[in-house]
């Protein structure tokens, strides 16, 4: 009995909070580079017993491919199967579904980035908060008032507080104490087009990042930005995909210099931002977009950067699986180039991974591993490389040589 107990203690000791040291993520003081994925609808599927099994199936497939982090929604505001049916009013069965998602993720050793609301109308988001405000008698004229109106900000803070203090009914762990949660994301793709100066969104980020940390100082916090450059860095605007990107109220460098923000987030959608016709220009943009943000994270932010969404839609003109594989390989290669230099490129998350039998949820970007052998092989190979790097970055080289740094050790043994 003692041996079994000791083994369990050791396993729990290994499952510690992800932390940040400089421009790297670490677990137990060892580097933790991310190969991950998005599946935003896990809570909704878990809320229905007829589809709950798909959550387990997805985590099993992802884990088998070596994927270690999943980004998903910890919100559904006033919509079908809503988590939050009205301000501070929750459907307990849906909350139990989120409990299940978190407990199931741990079974498969997958950590979660949990997003707390949406810029877009899907699953409610800021538009639903404004609807609630109007129903309460507030005089609101724009969805962007979500970022500035005191009452709407209080609604959002109440949601944050409720989620972070939630006690999981499967594990009895409070969310804010659960190492399964990699990070909190303030919002999916925040934009405030009514104020292109960026001041309104910057003020909101400053307030909310500190608020999250006041409740939960243990977990990492990120904003959820797409990565567009704004007025504070006019020399970087040339890397934006188009001129409109500078007008959406976000400001990559300035936003990420905010107290309480631990790492940078960037999305990559050449097919949405540049052209819906597949071309080599998509690959060129992806590489320069990534390299610019990695450089900024090293030079100005001194933090890790995660490319938290990237992919290509099967609905694009000229799409084929070969192009998708080339795009994914390009993203992985750019990250590995950073990793080997000790840079800020800390990982990426595919948009998005689906289990079998969920095609009706496909937005064009879905990857079903069982139906995509070439893509699955690329993902698994990258997972192996990342796992090798994480294991080799120990305080002492397992081959017994005396290298100056773990990175030199990795480079020295890179052929093994």
């Amino acid at each position: 009995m003692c041996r079994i107990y000791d083994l369990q203690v050791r396993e729990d000791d290994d499952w510690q909070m992800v932390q940040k040291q400089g421009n790297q993520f670490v677990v137990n003081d060892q580097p933790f580079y991310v190969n991950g994925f998005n599946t935003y609808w896990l809570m909704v599927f878990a809320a229905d017993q007829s589809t709950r099994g798909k959550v387990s199936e997805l985590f099993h497939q992802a884990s088998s491919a070596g994927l270690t982090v999943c980004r998903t929604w910890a919100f559904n505001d006033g919509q079908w199967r809503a988590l939050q049916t009205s301000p501070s009013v929750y459907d307990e069965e849906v909350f139990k579904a989120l409990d299940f998602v978190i407990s199931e993720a741990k079974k498969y050793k997958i950590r979660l980035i949990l997003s707390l609301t949406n810029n877009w109308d899907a699953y409610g988001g800021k538009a639903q908060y404004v609807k609630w405000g109007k129903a309460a008698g507030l005089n609101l004229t724009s969805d962007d008032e979500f970022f500035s109106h005191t009452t709407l900000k209080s609604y959002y803070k109440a949601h944050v507080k409720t989620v972070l203090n939630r006690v999981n009914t499967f594990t009895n762990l409070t969310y804010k104490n659960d190492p399964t949660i990699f990070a909190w994301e303030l919002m999916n793709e925040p934009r405030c087009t009514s104020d292109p100066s960026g001041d309104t969104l910057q003020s909101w980020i400053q307030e909310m990042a500190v608020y999250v940390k006041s409740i939960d100082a243990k977990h990492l916090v990120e904003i959820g930005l797409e990565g567009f450059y704004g007025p504070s860095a006019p020399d970087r605007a040339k890397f934006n995909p188009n001129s409109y990107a500078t007008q959406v109220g976000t400001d990559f460098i300035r936003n990420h210099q905010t107290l309480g923000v631990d790492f940078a987030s960037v999305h990559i959608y050449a097919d949405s931002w540049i052209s819906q016709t597949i071309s080599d220009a998509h690959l060129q943009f992806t590489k320069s977009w990534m390299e610019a943000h990695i450089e900024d994270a090293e030079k100005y932010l001194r933090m890790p950067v995660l490319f938290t969404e990237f992919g290509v839609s099967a609905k694009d003109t000229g799409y084929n699986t070969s192009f998708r594989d080339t795009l994914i390989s390009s993203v992985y290669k750019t990250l590995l180039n950073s990793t080997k230099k000790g840079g800020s490129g800390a990982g990426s998350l595919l948009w998005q991974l689906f289990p079998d039998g969920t095609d009706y949820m496909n937005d064009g970007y879905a990857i079903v591993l069982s139906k995509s052998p070439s893509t699955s092989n690329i993902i698994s190979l990258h997972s192996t490389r990342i796992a090798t790097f994480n294991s080799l970055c120990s305080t002492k080289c397992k081959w017994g040589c005396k290298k100056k740094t773990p990175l030199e050790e990795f480079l020295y043994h890179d052929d093994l």
Side-chain angles (χ1 to χ4, degrees), residues 219-266:
H219 282 104
L220 301 175
V221 171
E222 53 106 350
I223 303 167
L225 290 174
E226 295 157 283
F228 301 135
Y229 293 102
S232 76
D235 60 319
R236 306 302 275 174
K238 64 187 177 185
F239 292 106
N240 280 340
N242 49 57
S243 58
Y244 176 69
T246 63
Q247 302 297 314
V248 298
T250 66
D251 200 326
F252 176 75
I253 294 175
R254 180 190 183 195
N255 295 158
H256 283 108
Q257 289 173 328
T258 302
L259 179 68
V261 175
D262 295 299
F263 65 93
S265 62
V266 180

Side-chain angles (χ1 to χ4, degrees), residues 260-279:
V261 175
D262 295 299
F263 65 93
S265 62
V266 180
H267 294 179
I268 314 170
Y269 287 115
D271 62 342
S272 176
W273 299 339
I274 296 175
S275 168
Q276 291 184 332
T277 300
I278 296 299
S279 74

Side-chain angles (χ1 to χ4, degrees), residues 67-337:
L67 296 167
T68 56
V69 177
C70 171
R71 177 171 168 266
T72 194
W73 296 170
F75 66 88
N76 188 9
D77 308 311
Q79 307 289 299
W80 176 69
R81 285 187 189 160
L83 172 63
Q84 188 177 195
T85 56
S86 59
S88 296
V89 178
Y90 291 85
D91 185 323
E92 177 61 17
E93 292 308 307
V94 180
F95 233 142
K96 287 179 179 177
L98 184 56
D99 294 343
F100 174 81
V101 170
I102 296 170
S103 65
E104 201 71 359
K106 185 186 177 182
K107 288 181 185 178
Y108 291 96
K109 299 300 181 187
I110 290 174
R111 298 177 190 268
L112 300 173
I113 295 175
L114 295 179
S115 190
L116 294 165
T117 195
N118 205 353
N119 181 71
W120 312 109
D121 294 352
Y123 286 61
K126 70 181 183 185
Q128 182 61 59
Y129 280 88
V130 170
K131 288 177 184 176
W132 285 332
K134 287 180 178 178
L138 302 180
N139 182 23
L140 304 169
T141 58
S142 166
D143 286 350
D144 282 351
E145 289 187 75
F146 169 86
F147 298 113
S148 58
H149 197 285
T150 302
T151 300
L152 301 188
K153 289 192 293 182
S154 73
Y155 290 168
Y156 174 82
K157 284 182 175 179
H159 176 62
V160 168
K161 185 176 182 180
T162 299
V163 172
L164 272 56
N165 286 315
R166 169 77 175 181
V167 177
N168 192 309
T169 55
F170 289 85
T171 66
N172 291 320
L173 272 177
T174 306
Y175 284 13
K176 66 183 179 183
N177 294 324
D178 192 343
T180 307
I181 297 169
F182 180 103
W184 301 110
E185 179 176 281
L186 299 182
M187 184 182 221
N188 174 50
E189 300 186 335
R191 293 184 183 185
C192 185
T193 54
S194 62
D195 181 10
S197 76
D199 291 346
T200 299
L201 186 57
Q202 177 68 12
S203 178
W204 184 84
I205 293 167
Q206 290 172 340
E207 182 176 350
M208 298 311 169
V210 169
Y211 183 73
V212 172
K213 287 290 189 179
S214 74
I215 300 172
D216 179 2
K218 296 178 181 179
H219 282 104
L220 301 175
V221 171
E222 53 106 350
I223 303 167
L225 290 174
E226 295 157 283
F228 301 135
Y229 293 102
S232 76
D235 60 319
R236 306 302 275 174
K238 64 187 177 185
F239 292 106
N240 280 340
N242 49 57
S243 58
Y244 176 69
T246 63
Q247 302 297 314
V248 298
T250 66
D251 200 326
F252 176 75
I253 294 175
R254 180 190 183 195
N255 295 158
H256 283 108
Q257 289 173 328
T258 302
L259 179 68
V261 175
D262 295 299
F263 65 93
S265 62
V266 180
H267 294 179
I268 314 170
Y269 287 115
D271 62 342
S272 176
W273 299 339
I274 296 175
S275 168
Q276 291 184 332
T277 300
I278 296 299
S279 74
D280 287 344
H282 289 196
L283 301 175
Q284 294 160 6
F285 167 79
T286 297
K287 186 172 185 291
S288 64
W289 182 245
M290 292 182 70
E291 289 175 347
H293 287 83
I294 290 170
E295 180 183 351
D296 293 334
E298 292 164 3
K299 190 174 179 180
Y300 302 110
L301 306 177
R302 296 178 177 84
M303 60 172 54
V305 57
L306 268 189
F307 296 89
T308 47
E309 288 188 25
F310 77 98
V312 59
S313 175
K315 298 176 182 178
D316 294 337
T317 302
Y319 170 88
N320 55 59
T321 303
S322 177
F323 181 84
R324 182 175 71 184
D325 291 349
T326 300
L327 176 71
I328 293 172
S329 296
S330 176
V331 169
Y332 288 165
K333 182 179 180 180
T334 303
L335 282 168
L336 284 173
N337 287 340

